[in-house]
Amino acid sequence: MNTFGTNIKRALFGLTTAAAMCLSLSGCYFLPEEEEYLDPPVVKASEVSYTTTTATLKDITKQVTTSGTIASGTEENVYFASYGGTVKAVYVSAGDEVEEGDLIAELETTELDEEIYIMELEMQREELEVQIAIENGESETVKAKEQLDVDLLQIDLDKLYAEKEASKIYATVSGTISYVKTVSPGQTVSAGDTIATIIDLSDLYIKISPSSEKSEFLIGRSITIKYDGETYDGVIVSNSSGEQWDEETEGVLYDENGEAILGEISEDVIVAFVDEFPESSSVGNIADTVLVLDSRENVIVISANLIKTVNGQEVVYVFKDNERVQVAVETGLQSGSLVEITSGLEEGDEVIIR
């Protein structure tokens, strides 16, 4: 056998031996092992989270609040009418009670007082002249002439007295001082300047112009007034229609023929204070009037935006037994963003907000 044949046999033998050894070893394969597939992951739905509010019993009131300026039906300005001048004294302060005829203030009249004093002396002299003429038995002509001098002097003196009186001002009505001009002795004022204002506190009122429910502001209907943290009773005394409040029917007052009985008519609604009144300084300031139209006590009240309409039915959604449940409801009184629930909800129900 030649050398080439011998080499071929050796190569084949080596390959056969290697293959046998490989097959005898565990885990050694000529074909690839099939891939192992894992089970797909299980996806669990997360629980839905709701924000809720608890249905509770509350009071609800429907009302109209309107602002207006406090004024007085009796208001008198006191001032120097004839002439101005230098202030001698002001005898009142804001809040003082005065009677008609009380002295309010006066001007300085030093020169006028001296002029009056001199003329009074001249009057005494003229009166003495008349007396002397009588005692001396003078003729009627002489006595008449002396008396004429007295009369003429009296006319001039009366003018000075009137000027003196014009330097004083008095309360023209009884009431309360609501305003006093800030002026000190020695300062000057002009004729017509208001020195003080007198009002009647029992005649205070508020003029208002309601923007809604205007027909509800009936004459004679009670209304609440709020001013400076205090609450006062009020009553409507006039309106633009003249219609009055019937306490029995809680509506418009009618006669036996079904005609409305009209009261005082005014462009705006006038509300008067009753029994108790704020201080005089309240005049000119803003106050609120509150007209209660309707109210409920101890009822279920929720926010109006929680009510939805589904197929024409008002509903709310409640969280019950871990589920979102649609509940049909009936509504009652509504005030602003709040509404009364008359049926469908019970106290303690958890109403879903979102």
Side-chain angles (χ1 to χ4, degrees), residues 131-184:
Q131 186 64 32
I132 290 172
I134 294 173
E135 290 177 356
N136 291 341
E138 300 288 348
S139 65
E140 292 300 319
T141 302
V142 172
K143 289 188 288 185
K145 185 264 181 188
E146 295 296 342
Q147 184 60 50
L148 184 59
D149 290 340
V150 171
D151 293 342
L152 290 173
L153 193 58
Q154 186 64 56
I155 292 173
D156 291 337
L157 190 56
D158 287 343
K159 291 180 180 179
L160 294 180
Y161 286 152
E163 187 176 347
K164 172 71 173 179
E165 189 62 23
S167 70
K168 300 177 181 180
I169 49 176
Y170 302 88
T172 52
V173 294
S174 298
T176 304
I177 301 295
S178 65
Y179 163 81
V180 177
K181 183 178 179 65
T182 303
V183 60
S184 302

Side-chain angles (χ1 to χ4, degrees), residues 234-254:
V235 63
I236 299 169
V237 295
S238 68
N239 57 27
S240 59
S241 67
E243 293 180 332
Q244 301 188 71
W245 173 253
D246 188 337
E247 193 69 38
E248 292 185 2
T249 64
E250 296 187 346
V252 177
L253 179 64
Y254 295 101

Side-chain angles (χ1 to χ4, degrees), residues 284-341:
N285 293 333
I286 301 297
D288 291 328
T289 62
V290 180
L291 180 63
V292 176
L293 303 179
D294 202 353
S295 63
R296 302 282 190 276
E297 294 182 356
N298 209 35
V299 295
I300 293 178
V301 177
I302 66 172
S303 179
N305 62 9
L306 299 180
I307 302 173
K308 312 299 179 184
T309 302
V310 177
N311 297 326
Q313 171 69 56
E314 290 184 315
V315 302
V316 298
Y317 295 94
V318 299
F319 190 66
K320 189 173 184 179
D321 297 330
N322 293 321
E323 293 183 355
R324 179 175 181 265
V325 180
Q326 178 180 296
V327 177
V329 295
E330 292 184 3
T331 59
L333 183 63
Q334 182 166 356
S335 177
S337 63
L338 300 178
V339 62
E340 172 196 9
I341 302 299

